[in-house]
Amino acid sequence: MKSRTHPPRIDALRTVQRADGDAASVDADTDLELESFTDADLSGRDLTGLTLRECAFDGVDLDEANLRGARFLETTLSAVHAPVLRMSRSTWRDVVLERSRLGSAELFDTTWNGVRIRQCKLGYVNLRGSSLTDVIFEDCTIDELDLGGVTATRVAFPGTTVKTLDVTRATLKHVDLRGLDFRAVQGLEGLAGATVTEVQVAELAQLFAAQLGILVEG
């Protein structure tokens, strides 16, 4: 039977020629296009409203940088380091984030469209109140993924492990959890609209029973 769950629709980023960027030129409300930054230290900088168009960050340190309201468009982020990432109310469109380590990622009230997160190690990812459309978390390890109040459409998690998943008051449509290994789920009612396996249903039943204080004995 053909799956009724629609997969994320993500196009490959086009190959472009980029010029070497000057880290000193990266500032609040700057609009950069077709620039590449390698091993740059942008930690602690005020980068509110920054716009990147078809740019690339490779080995860039964004720890404690203020990226509130930033716009990342058709941009690749590789080996990014940020124990604390501050990017609330930002926009991600056609973005690849790969081989990166993020600790506390403040991404609430963001808009993601056509985003691929792969081979990343993430701590607490706060996406509360965000809009996610066509998003893949692939081969990632996440300590806590907070999707409270999100609106998510066509999101998948192949090969990904999440210790704690919070879907309190989430609105999900074509969200595929079959590739997700989770340890705990908060706000179980928010899973309405998600697709899971039979094995995951059994795991969720155990979580539901524990949440309600139900004792299950054979």
mmCIF file of all heavy atoms in Angstrom, residues 23-59:
data_model
loop_
_atom_site.group_PDB
_atom_site.id
_atom_site.type_symbol
_atom_site.label_atom_id
_atom_site.label_comp_id
_atom_site.label_asym_id
_atom_site.label_seq_id
_atom_site.Cartn_x
_atom_site.Cartn_y
_atom_site.Cartn_z
ATOM 1 N N ALA A 23 35.143 38.396 7.478
ATOM 2 C CA ALA A 23 34.356 38.257 8.705
ATOM 3 C C ALA A 23 34.067 39.606 9.352
ATOM 4 O O ALA A 23 33.031 39.785 9.993
ATOM 5 C CB ALA A 23 35.082 37.341 9.687
ATOM 6 N N ALA A 24 34.973 40.554 9.173
ATOM 7 C CA ALA A 24 34.777 41.873 9.778
ATOM 8 C C ALA A 24 33.585 42.604 9.155
ATOM 9 O O ALA A 24 33.032 43.536 9.758
ATOM 10 C CB ALA A 24 36.041 42.709 9.624
ATOM 11 N N SER A 25 33.186 42.196 7.946
ATOM 12 C CA SER A 25 32.083 42.861 7.268
ATOM 13 C C SER A 25 30.723 42.316 7.692
ATOM 14 O O SER A 25 29.682 42.866 7.323
ATOM 15 C CB SER A 25 32.226 42.697 5.740
ATOM 16 O OG SER A 25 31.980 41.350 5.357
ATOM 17 N N VAL A 26 30.722 41.231 8.465
ATOM 18 C CA VAL A 26 29.469 40.619 8.904
ATOM 19 C C VAL A 26 28.966 41.384 10.124
ATOM 20 O O VAL A 26 29.587 41.376 11.179
ATOM 21 C CB VAL A 26 29.669 39.135 9.248
ATOM 22 C CG1 VAL A 26 28.332 38.493 9.611
ATOM 23 C CG2 VAL A 26 30.307 38.398 8.083
ATOM 24 N N ASP A 27 27.837 42.048 9.975
ATOM 25 C CA ASP A 27 27.347 42.931 11.036
ATOM 26 C C ASP A 27 25.822 42.889 11.062
ATOM 27 O O ASP A 27 25.185 42.292 10.185
ATOM 28 C CB ASP A 27 27.832 44.358 10.781
ATOM 29 C CG ASP A 27 27.937 45.179 12.056
ATOM 30 O OD1 ASP A 27 27.432 44.724 13.100
ATOM 31 O OD2 ASP A 27 28.509 46.282 12.001
ATOM 32 N N ALA A 28 25.239 43.537 12.043
ATOM 33 C CA ALA A 28 23.783 43.600 12.145
ATOM 34 C C ALA A 28 23.187 44.229 10.890
ATOM 35 O O ALA A 28 23.737 45.201 10.343
ATOM 36 C CB ALA A 28 23.374 44.398 13.382
ATOM 37 N N ASP A 29 22.087 43.647 10.418
ATOM 38 C CA ASP A 29 21.336 44.143 9.258
ATOM 39 C C ASP A 29 22.133 44.138 7.955
ATOM 40 O O ASP A 29 21.719 44.763 6.964
ATOM 41 C CB ASP A 29 20.804 45.568 9.521
ATOM 42 C CG ASP A 29 19.817 45.599 10.681
ATOM 43 O OD1 ASP A 29 18.965 44.697 10.744
ATOM 44 O OD2 ASP A 29 19.919 46.508 11.524
ATOM 45 N N THR A 30 23.266 43.430 7.940
ATOM 46 C CA THR A 30 24.036 43.312 6.699
ATOM 47 C C THR A 30 23.352 42.332 5.763
ATOM 48 O O THR A 30 22.799 41.328 6.182
ATOM 49 C CB THR A 30 25.466 42.827 6.990
ATOM 50 O OG1 THR A 30 26.087 43.723 7.909
ATOM 51 C CG2 THR A 30 26.305 42.765 5.720
ATOM 52 N N ASP A 31 23.395 42.604 4.470
ATOM 53 C CA ASP A 31 22.820 41.718 3.444
ATOM 54 C C ASP A 31 23.974 41.206 2.586
ATOM 55 O O ASP A 31 24.564 41.967 1.812
ATOM 56 C CB ASP A 31 21.811 42.485 2.594
ATOM 57 C CG ASP A 31 20.940 41.566 1.740
ATOM 58 O OD1 ASP A 31 21.449 40.499 1.337
ATOM 59 O OD2 ASP A 31 19.782 41.910 1.478
ATOM 60 N N LEU A 32 24.335 39.935 2.763
ATOM 61 C CA LEU A 32 25.467 39.352 2.053
ATOM 62 C C LEU A 32 24.985 38.330 1.034
ATOM 63 O O LEU A 32 24.060 37.562 1.297
ATOM 64 C CB LEU A 32 26.422 38.675 3.041
ATOM 65 C CG LEU A 32 26.978 39.561 4.161
ATOM 66 C CD1 LEU A 32 27.807 38.726 5.131
ATOM 67 C CD2 LEU A 32 27.818 40.693 3.573
ATOM 68 N N GLU A 33 25.645 38.307 -0.109
ATOM 69 C CA GLU A 33 25.243 37.391 -1.177
ATOM 70 C C GLU A 33 26.475 36.756 -1.819
ATOM 71 O O GLU A 33 27.480 37.424 -2.072
ATOM 72 C CB GLU A 33 24.435 38.142 -2.237
ATOM 73 C CG GLU A 33 23.869 37.234 -3.325
ATOM 74 C CD GLU A 33 22.908 37.965 -4.255
ATOM 75 O OE1 GLU A 33 22.769 39.206 -4.106
ATOM 76 O OE2 GLU A 33 22.306 37.309 -5.121
ATOM 77 N N LEU A 34 26.403 35.441 -2.029
ATOM 78 C CA LEU A 34 27.449 34.678 -2.725
ATOM 79 C C LEU A 34 28.821 34.890 -2.081
ATOM 80 O O LEU A 34 29.814 35.139 -2.754
ATOM 81 C CB LEU A 34 27.482 35.052 -4.210
ATOM 82 C CG LEU A 34 26.252 34.611 -5.017
ATOM 83 C CD1 LEU A 34 26.271 35.223 -6.414
ATOM 84 C CD2 LEU A 34 26.203 33.091 -5.120
ATOM 85 N N GLU A 35 28.861 34.773 -0.751
ATOM 86 C CA GLU A 35 30.126 34.868 -0.028
ATOM 87 C C GLU A 35 30.333 33.620 0.818
ATOM 88 O O GLU A 35 29.380 33.003 1.308
ATOM 89 C CB GLU A 35 30.167 36.121 0.851
ATOM 90 C CG GLU A 35 30.138 37.419 0.057
ATOM 91 C CD GLU A 35 30.452 38.636 0.906
ATOM 92 O OE1 GLU A 35 31.203 38.501 1.898
ATOM 93 O OE2 GLU A 35 29.932 39.736 0.590
ATOM 94 N N SER A 36 31.595 33.250 0.992
ATOM 95 C CA SER A 36 31.951 32.060 1.758
ATOM 96 C C SER A 36 32.852 32.453 2.924
ATOM 97 O O SER A 36 33.793 33.241 2.754
ATOM 98 C CB SER A 36 32.672 31.059 0.851
ATOM 99 O OG SER A 36 33.063 29.912 1.554
ATOM 100 N N PHE A 37 32.555 31.890 4.109
ATOM 101 C CA PHE A 37 33.327 32.200 5.311
ATOM 102 C C PHE A 37 33.823 30.891 5.916
ATOM 103 O O PHE A 37 33.025 29.994 6.203
ATOM 104 C CB PHE A 37 32.463 32.955 6.323
ATOM 105 C CG PHE A 37 31.932 34.263 5.803
ATOM 106 C CD1 PHE A 37 30.754 34.314 5.066
ATOM 107 C CD2 PHE A 37 32.623 35.441 6.034
ATOM 108 C CE1 PHE A 37 30.269 35.511 4.575
ATOM 109 C CE2 PHE A 37 32.141 36.654 5.544
ATOM 110 C CZ PHE A 37 30.960 36.690 4.808
ATOM 111 N N THR A 38 35.140 30.775 6.080
ATOM 112 C CA THR A 38 35.743 29.548 6.595
ATOM 113 C C THR A 38 36.524 29.849 7.871
ATOM 114 O O THR A 38 37.341 30.783 7.903
ATOM 115 C CB THR A 38 36.683 28.921 5.549
ATOM 116 O OG1 THR A 38 35.936 28.647 4.353
ATOM 117 C CG2 THR A 38 37.292 27.628 6.065
ATOM 118 N N ASP A 39 36.250 29.049 8.918
ATOM 119 C CA ASP A 39 36.954 29.171 10.209
ATOM 120 C C ASP A 39 36.894 30.593 10.767
ATOM 121 O O ASP A 39 37.852 31.075 11.387
ATOM 122 C CB ASP A 39 38.418 28.730 10.065
ATOM 123 C CG ASP A 39 38.533 27.266 9.665
ATOM 124 O OD1 ASP A 39 37.653 26.479 10.060
ATOM 125 O OD2 ASP A 39 39.488 26.921 8.950
ATOM 126 N N ALA A 40 35.775 31.260 10.560
ATOM 127 C CA ALA A 40 35.616 32.621 11.075
ATOM 128 C C ALA A 40 35.056 32.578 12.499
ATOM 129 O O ALA A 40 34.277 31.687 12.854
ATOM 130 C CB ALA A 40 34.689 33.424 10.173
ATOM 131 N N ASP A 41 35.451 33.550 13.306
ATOM 132 C CA ASP A 41 34.967 33.656 14.681
ATOM 133 C C ASP A 41 33.985 34.825 14.758
ATOM 134 O O ASP A 41 34.378 35.989 14.751
ATOM 135 C CB ASP A 41 36.127 33.870 15.640
ATOM 136 C CG ASP A 41 35.678 33.880 17.098
ATOM 137 O OD1 ASP A 41 34.465 33.733 17.349
ATOM 138 O OD2 ASP A 41 36.539 34.035 17.988
ATOM 139 N N LEU A 42 32.703 34.474 14.819
ATOM 140 C CA LEU A 42 31.657 35.493 14.941
ATOM 141 C C LEU A 42 30.992 35.426 16.308
ATOM 142 O O LEU A 42 29.921 35.996 16.515
ATOM 143 C CB LEU A 42 30.601 35.294 13.844
ATOM 144 C CG LEU A 42 31.099 35.349 12.395
ATOM 145 C CD1 LEU A 42 29.953 35.094 11.430
ATOM 146 C CD2 LEU A 42 31.753 36.692 12.090
ATOM 147 N N SER A 43 31.647 34.768 17.253
ATOM 148 C CA SER A 43 31.065 34.581 18.582
ATOM 149 C C SER A 43 30.854 35.918 19.283
ATOM 150 O O SER A 43 31.672 36.836 19.184
ATOM 151 C CB SER A 43 31.960 33.674 19.428
ATOM 152 O OG SER A 43 33.252 34.237 19.583
ATOM 153 N N GLY A 44 29.704 36.022 19.957
ATOM 154 C CA GLY A 44 29.409 37.208 20.750
ATOM 155 C C GLY A 44 29.060 38.450 19.945
ATOM 156 O O GLY A 44 28.834 39.511 20.530
ATOM 157 N N ARG A 45 28.974 38.346 18.632
ATOM 158 C CA ARG A 45 28.716 39.527 17.794
ATOM 159 C C ARG A 45 27.221 39.842 17.722
ATOM 160 O O ARG A 45 26.370 38.963 17.795
ATOM 161 C CB ARG A 45 29.256 39.269 16.380
ATOM 162 C CG ARG A 45 30.754 38.997 16.317
ATOM 163 C CD ARG A 45 31.535 40.242 16.048
ATOM 164 N NE ARG A 45 31.295 40.731 14.710
ATOM 165 C CZ ARG A 45 31.978 40.320 13.614
ATOM 166 N NH1 ARG A 45 32.943 39.414 13.731
ATOM 167 N NH2 ARG A 45 31.729 40.832 12.437
ATOM 168 N N ASP A 46 26.891 41.103 17.536
ATOM 169 C CA ASP A 46 25.505 41.502 17.299
ATOM 170 C C ASP A 46 25.241 41.396 15.800
ATOM 171 O O ASP A 46 25.688 42.239 15.015
ATOM 172 C CB ASP A 46 25.266 42.939 17.775
ATOM 173 C CG ASP A 46 23.828 43.386 17.524
ATOM 174 O OD1 ASP A 46 22.985 42.538 17.146
ATOM 175 O OD2 ASP A 46 23.539 44.582 17.703
ATOM 176 N N LEU A 47 24.512 40.335 15.416
ATOM 177 C CA LEU A 47 24.225 40.083 14.014
ATOM 178 C C LEU A 47 22.717 40.075 13.759
ATOM 179 O O LEU A 47 22.228 39.405 12.844
ATOM 180 C CB LEU A 47 24.834 38.738 13.586
ATOM 181 C CG LEU A 47 26.343 38.586 13.830
ATOM 182 C CD1 LEU A 47 26.808 37.181 13.430
ATOM 183 C CD2 LEU A 47 27.134 39.640 13.049
ATOM 184 N N THR A 48 21.995 40.833 14.567
ATOM 185 C CA THR A 48 20.543 40.880 14.404
ATOM 186 C C THR A 48 20.192 41.358 12.991
ATOM 187 O O THR A 48 20.780 42.301 12.468
ATOM 188 C CB THR A 48 19.904 41.834 15.425
ATOM 189 O OG1 THR A 48 20.547 43.114 15.347
ATOM 190 C CG2 THR A 48 20.042 41.290 16.828
ATOM 191 N N GLY A 49 19.220 40.673 12.386
ATOM 192 C CA GLY A 49 18.757 41.075 11.060
ATOM 193 C C GLY A 49 19.699 40.738 9.929
ATOM 194 O O GLY A 49 19.470 41.159 8.788
ATOM 195 N N LEU A 50 20.764 39.986 10.195
ATOM 196 C CA LEU A 50 21.695 39.600 9.134
ATOM 197 C C LEU A 50 20.968 38.775 8.073
ATOM 198 O O LEU A 50 20.166 37.901 8.395
ATOM 199 C CB LEU A 50 22.833 38.760 9.729
ATOM 200 C CG LEU A 50 23.795 38.086 8.740
ATOM 201 C CD1 LEU A 50 24.650 39.129 8.033
ATOM 202 C CD2 LEU A 50 24.663 37.067 9.465
ATOM 203 N N THR A 51 21.266 39.033 6.796
ATOM 204 C CA THR A 51 20.713 38.240 5.708
ATOM 205 C C THR A 51 21.847 37.608 4.912
ATOM 206 O O THR A 51 22.784 38.301 4.496
ATOM 207 C CB THR A 51 19.861 39.105 4.759
ATOM 208 O OG1 THR A 51 18.737 39.629 5.472
ATOM 209 C CG2 THR A 51 19.353 38.275 3.578
ATOM 210 N N LEU A 52 21.779 36.293 4.751
ATOM 211 C CA LEU A 52 22.732 35.562 3.917
ATOM 212 C C LEU A 52 21.981 34.976 2.720
ATOM 213 O O LEU A 52 21.000 34.255 2.893
ATOM 214 C CB LEU A 52 23.388 34.424 4.703
ATOM 215 C CG LEU A 52 24.171 34.780 5.969
ATOM 216 C CD1 LEU A 52 24.753 33.515 6.587
ATOM 217 C CD2 LEU A 52 25.280 35.779 5.657
ATOM 218 N N ARG A 53 22.452 35.286 1.525
ATOM 219 C CA ARG A 53 21.846 34.758 0.303
ATOM 220 C C ARG A 53 22.886 33.925 -0.460
ATOM 221 O O ARG A 53 23.906 34.461 -0.889
ATOM 222 C CB ARG A 53 21.343 35.895 -0.598
ATOM 223 C CG ARG A 53 20.369 36.858 0.080
ATOM 224 C CD ARG A 53 20.027 38.021 -0.853
ATOM 225 N NE ARG A 53 19.305 39.081 -0.161
ATOM 226 C CZ ARG A 53 17.979 39.109 -0.025
ATOM 227 N NH1 ARG A 53 17.251 38.131 -0.548
ATOM 228 N NH2 ARG A 53 17.387 40.096 0.619
ATOM 229 N N GLU A 54 22.632 32.640 -0.581
ATOM 230 C CA GLU A 54 23.531 31.718 -1.283
ATOM 231 C C GLU A 54 24.964 31.826 -0.747
ATOM 232 O O GLU A 54 25.930 31.861 -1.504
ATOM 233 C CB GLU A 54 23.492 31.968 -2.788
ATOM 234 C CG GLU A 54 22.130 31.666 -3.395
ATOM 235 C CD GLU A 54 22.141 31.677 -4.908
ATOM 236 O OE1 GLU A 54 22.025 32.800 -5.474
ATOM 237 O OE2 GLU A 54 22.271 30.612 -5.515
ATOM 238 N N CYS A 55 25.064 31.872 0.568
ATOM 239 C CA CYS A 55 26.367 31.937 1.223
ATOM 240 C C CYS A 55 26.735 30.587 1.831
ATOM 241 O O CYS A 55 25.944 29.646 1.822
ATOM 242 C CB CYS A 55 26.357 33.014 2.306
ATOM 243 S SG CYS A 55 26.234 34.722 1.666
ATOM 244 N N ALA A 56 27.951 30.494 2.359
ATOM 245 C CA ALA A 56 28.410 29.272 3.009
ATOM 246 C C ALA A 56 29.215 29.627 4.252
ATOM 247 O O ALA A 56 30.095 30.486 4.206
ATOM 248 C CB ALA A 56 29.249 28.440 2.054
ATOM 249 N N PHE A 57 28.884 28.958 5.359
ATOM 250 C CA PHE A 57 29.662 29.033 6.598
ATOM 251 C C PHE A 57 30.300 27.672 6.811
ATOM 252 O O PHE A 57 29.609 26.657 6.852
ATOM 253 C CB PHE A 57 28.762 29.345 7.801
ATOM 254 C CG PHE A 57 28.472 30.805 8.027
ATOM 255 C CD1 PHE A 57 28.879 31.770 7.129
ATOM 256 C CD2 PHE A 57 27.780 31.217 9.160
ATOM 257 C CE1 PHE A 57 28.608 33.111 7.340
ATOM 258 C CE2 PHE A 57 27.506 32.556 9.391
ATOM 259 C CZ PHE A 57 27.926 33.507 8.480
ATOM 260 N N ASP A 58 31.623 27.626 6.946
ATOM 261 C CA ASP A 58 32.315 26.360 7.181
ATOM 262 C C ASP A 58 33.264 26.538 8.369
ATOM 263 O O ASP A 58 34.203 27.329 8.303
ATOM 264 C CB ASP A 58 33.094 25.937 5.936
ATOM 265 C CG ASP A 58 33.648 24.526 6.040
ATOM 266 O OD1 ASP A 58 33.478 23.881 7.098
ATOM 267 O OD2 ASP A 58 34.252 24.054 5.056
ATOM 268 N N GLY A 59 32.991 25.820 9.453
ATOM 269 C CA GLY A 59 33.844 25.943 10.633
ATOM 270 C C GLY A 59 33.701 27.272 11.341
ATOM 271 O O GLY A 59 34.636 27.722 12.006
#
